[in-house]
Amino acid sequence: MHKLKHMIRSRWSMALLLSAVFISIFGVFHPYPYDNVQTRWALTRQMVEHGTLSIDPYAEFTADKAHFGDHYYCDKAVLTSVAAGVIHLPVHLLSSVINLPEQLPRYLAERLLIGGSFILLLLALARSGKREGQLEIIPVLALGLGSILLPYSTLLYGHVPAAFLIFLSYCFQKRKKYARADIFGALAAAVEFPTLLLFIILAAYRGRAYWKPSRILRMAGFLIIAFLPQILHNWIAFGNPLTMGYSLEATAAFEGMSHGFFGFTLPTPGSFYLLLISPERGLLFYMPWVVFGFLGFFKNSARAGEVIKNTPLPVMVLAYILLFSSYYMPSGGWAFGPRHLIPILPFLALGLYSFVRGSRSRAFIVLVLIIPAMFQAYLGLFGEVHLPVHPFENPVPLPQWNICANMLMNGHHSVWLADLLIPVIVLLLSLYTLAARFSSSRFTWAGMLWIPLMLILALLSAGRDWGGRIDFYRGILAEHREEYLLASQYYFLSAKDPTAPAIVGEKAIWCFEQASASAIQEKRFPE
């Protein structure tokens, strides 16, 4: 009877958790998409609406672009844009019959493609954790509401679909369904090129006896098919199927792509700190629960070497972190957390199953660490998701507070489709799910140890003197959203910094004039 009651409670909690994720994805929209999303969506629109690969009409709105001949092109992996095109095509045809809201096509493409991938990923993770009819909710809670996948599931990036596809590849390989593993691994690599490393590591763990000529050819065939859209795009746009957009960057901001192998050189201590520990982009700061996800890989064995020999997960995680520690832009540019590491997060969540199994106190530790992760994920979801870097590779200090929270309190946030009702419902569902799981855990002081460490890191970051630059970047973000009055206030504050260039004051005046003109227009022509 107790086992049945626990199973019912777990399924109820899982349903509420997935409802919170669903409402988050469909109830929130980021109207200004920034460079990465702008480039992908530009390609989707141009293919569907005009039958061309050139993104010339949108080139002025993004720095993320390739230049070849007299035209601008998408410099990204194109499979995400192609998949979005499948969704956009019927919407575009419908728009020729009835008037649709301008932002609706991108909203639908992001929710169905990116948000849908995230929900399917959470279901796959939940299925992977079933043990003897019971369903442990902590790993799904950590990944679903306590990770940067949540805000990124609302934007047209390739990170979340790539995470879903490479996780499916692992799941099928574990069940020895290698053909399906090859299909999803190849698709993951085509969506996000660096995940090819994860796929190679996965394949390497099949052992020598597996590799026969027919199987090698099958894998190669799947990779060619998955990369076919990219090959055709490169051939048509650049005249060579092997020429990548990254080698034809149009702006100086991305000239680092020409160093090493498309920007990958050697890892540095500074990159490790930024990517793992720093409050600005650190994996352990944004999602401290990943520590115990990694430890979970080793829980069932006393010998680390034996674990590494038998499972690819620790090698995949460490190799991917090492890879992006050698990238010329480990911050990910204007980003929320370590976005490049998103494909390994499902595997770290998977490790939580082993870590919490059979221990109420370990469950308590992980739940405590999920709380700050959830808080930060919600700041990115409901607030500003694009956290600036001051050229070059110098992110705004403690951006969760200086950008997300401060601007949220000043009225700058994502679009909430049902106004305040969306964050209220999501927060209530999240708190109920957390409380239900806390009630079956056991308190331990060990769960409190991470709090002072996070506070120390946060204070060290917040103590950095940035003068008026923080207000300057707040102004940029507000101006992008056409919040001109708010932008002018930020720019005026920034202009008080004696080191601020004259253009800051000029932007303050211009934004104030725009806000005044808008106010006069609204007064003259009220809705």
Side-chain angles (χ1 to χ4, degrees), residues 197-230:
L197 174 64
L198 300 179
F199 183 37
I200 290 172
I201 294 171
L202 263 179
Y205 270 77
R206 297 178 188 179
R208 291 182 183 178
Y210 171 82
W211 294 107
K212 298 177 180 179
S214 60
R215 290 170 175 169
I216 295 173
L217 288 173
R218 183 183 67 191
M219 178 182 287
F222 286 141
L223 281 167
I224 291 171
I225 293 171
F227 274 85
L228 192 58
Q230 189 73 51

Side-chain angles (χ1 to χ4, degrees), residues 3 17 25 59 101 323 339 358 464 494 503:
K3 187 175 179 180
L17 191 164
I25 292 170
L323 177 68
R339 65 181 180 88
R464 290 162 54 197
S494 180
I503 192 175

Side-chain angles (χ1 to χ4, degrees), residues 180-321:
R180 296 182 189 181
D182 288 346
I183 291 171
F184 289 108
L187 287 171
V191 167
E192 191 150 293
F193 301 147
T195 56
L196 179 62
L197 174 64
L198 300 179
F199 183 37
I200 290 172
I201 294 171
L202 263 179
Y205 270 77
R206 297 178 188 179
R208 291 182 183 178
Y210 171 82
W211 294 107
K212 298 177 180 179
S214 60
R215 290 170 175 169
I216 295 173
L217 288 173
R218 183 183 67 191
M219 178 182 287
F222 286 141
L223 281 167
I224 291 171
I225 293 171
F227 274 85
L228 192 58
Q230 189 73 51
I231 292 169
L232 292 174
H233 172 273
N234 296 349
W235 203 341
I236 296 169
F238 311 131
N240 187 329
L242 300 181
T243 298
M244 304 299 290
Y246 286 126
S247 66
L248 299 167
E249 289 294 340
T251 54
F254 300 102
E255 63 182 8
M257 294 294 293
S258 62
H259 301 156
F261 182 73
F262 291 104
F264 291 97
T265 53
L266 293 173
T268 65
S271 294
F272 272 117
Y273 172 77
L274 179 65
L275 205 55
L276 290 179
I277 301 171
S278 76
E280 290 76 35
R281 295 292 188 273
L283 178 68
L284 306 184
F285 194 91
Y286 277 81
M287 296 156 285
W289 55 263
V290 301
V291 173
F292 298 102
F294 188 79
L295 292 178
F297 298 153
F298 302 91
K299 180 177 174 290
N300 296 324
S301 176
R303 298 173 60 184
E306 183 179 335
V307 173
I308 292 173
K309 180 181 178 181
N310 293 326
T311 176
L313 298 184
V315 178
M316 291 168 69
V317 168
L318 293 176
Y320 215 63
I321 292 172

Side-chain angles (χ1 to χ4, degrees), residues 345-367:
L345 294 181
F347 301 112
L348 289 164
L350 190 63
L352 291 177
Y353 282 116
S354 297
F355 184 79
V356 303
R357 189 178 301 127
S359 174
R360 294 169 62 197
S361 59
R362 285 198 295 269
F364 178 85
I365 292 172
V366 175
L367 286 168

Side-chain angles (χ1 to χ4, degrees), residues 67-241:
H67 185 255
F68 184 77
D70 297 324
H71 298 286
Y72 292 97
Y73 297 93
C74 176
D75 61 346
K76 309 295 179 190
V78 303
L79 192 55
T80 301
S81 297
V82 172
V86 175
I87 299 169
H88 181 47
L89 178 59
V91 178
H92 175 62
L93 294 175
L94 183 62
S95 68
S96 63
V97 180
I98 60 174
N99 290 326
L100 298 175
E102 182 182 357
Q103 299 279 21
L104 182 62
R106 182 167 69 86
Y107 170 84
L108 290 174
E110 287 175 336
R111 268 80 215 147
L112 296 177
L113 178 61
I114 312 301
S117 294
F118 187 39
I119 292 171
L120 291 174
L121 170 60
L122 294 177
L123 292 172
L125 178 64
R127 182 178 180 181
S128 298
K130 284 183 179 178
R131 292 293 185 273
E132 297 178 3
Q134 295 186 7
L135 188 63
E136 174 55 69
I137 196 174
I138 287 180
V140 185
L141 178 63
L143 192 68
L145 298 177
S147 81
I148 61 173
L149 273 84
L150 183 62
Y152 274 104
S153 67
T154 64
L155 290 162
L156 195 64
Y157 283 80
H159 306 314
V160 174
F164 169 56
L165 292 166
I166 196 65
F167 186 75
L168 280 187
S169 181
Y170 165 78
C171 291
F172 281 119
Q173 176 161 316
K174 192 173 181 182
R175 292 158 57 187
K176 299 189 184 304
K177 296 184 177 181
Y178 296 116
R180 296 182 189 181
D182 288 346
I183 291 171
F184 289 108
L187 287 171
V191 167
E192 191 150 293
F193 301 147
T195 56
L196 179 62
L197 174 64
L198 300 179
F199 183 37
I200 290 172
I201 294 171
L202 263 179
Y205 270 77
R206 297 178 188 179
R208 291 182 183 178
Y210 171 82
W211 294 107
K212 298 177 180 179
S214 60
R215 290 170 175 169
I216 295 173
L217 288 173
R218 183 183 67 191
M219 178 182 287
F222 286 141
L223 281 167
I224 291 171
I225 293 171
F227 274 85
L228 192 58
Q230 189 73 51
I231 292 169
L232 292 174
H233 172 273
N234 296 349
W235 203 341
I236 296 169
F238 311 131
N240 187 329

Side-chain angles (χ1 to χ4, degrees), residues 45-67:
R45 290 196 64 178
Q46 286 294 93
M47 285 190 299
V48 171
E49 298 173 17
H50 303 288
T52 180
L53 300 180
S54 166
I55 62 168
D56 291 344
Y58 305 93
E60 64 179 301
F61 302 115
T62 176
D64 261 350
K65 57 198 174 191
H67 185 255

